[in-house]
Amino acid sequence: MTTVGAPKWNSESGGNDRTDQGAVEVVALVGEIDIETEPDARAELGAALRSGRSVVLDLSGVTFADSTALNLLLWASRKKVHLAGPLVPQLQRLLEIAGLGEFLSLHPAVSEALDAAAEDPT
């Protein structure tokens, strides 16, 4: 994977990676997803969506998420992005409190999300 996040994203504050998995592009978010980091995450996800391929958003590296992240996940869901875990307990609880778990295409692992995304027409 190649790191393509903005310079303010690093292993302490957040970041992302994009990788090509054949017909599926994976965007891996790392660190905190909040009001400061969400615009960069959305931009990277948008670039992946413009590729014309199915997209998986790997959330397994997310260490913290706030309501801004919920907005990003809802936006991604409307774009037919497959979300992949496993999720940290804080993010899992945030989704439960917001009642969003049933509305998101959330898979327990990236491999399962890749399989589901590969079956989707682009």
Side-chain angles (χ1 to χ4, degrees):
M1 286 186 170
T2 323
T3 301
V4 292
K8 68 180 177 184
W9 286 35
N10 57 43
S11 59
E12 284 77 42
S13 64
N16 59 21
D17 291 328
R18 281 179 44 203
T19 186
D20 180 351
Q21 295 288 326
V24 180
E25 187 152 359
V26 177
V27 177
L29 300 182
V30 179
E32 299 179 359
I33 308 301
D34 57 21
I35 196 164
E36 287 199 25
T37 59
E38 187 273 347
D40 293 332
R42 187 178 297 255
E44 290 302 325
L45 188 53
L49 287 165
R50 287 188 296 278
S51 75
R53 291 182 266 164
S54 295
V55 176
V56 168
L57 183 58
D58 178 2
L59 302 169
S60 63
V62 173
T63 58
F64 172 82
D66 66 8
S67 61
T68 315
L70 291 178
N71 186 302
L72 175 69
L73 297 180
L74 286 171
W75 177 80
S77 180
R78 286 191 307 267
K79 302 287 185 183
K80 306 293 186 203
V81 171
H82 291 269
L83 308 176
L87 303 179
V88 294
Q90 184 269 334
L91 180 52
Q92 182 69 43
R93 181 71 178 131
L94 185 62
L95 292 176
E96 289 170 8
I97 289 170
L100 296 178
E102 64 193 63
F103 297 105
L104 302 175
S105 177
L106 181 60
H107 304 275
V110 172
S111 60
E112 293 179 32
L114 285 170
D115 291 343
E119 294 175 6
D120 281 350
T122 53

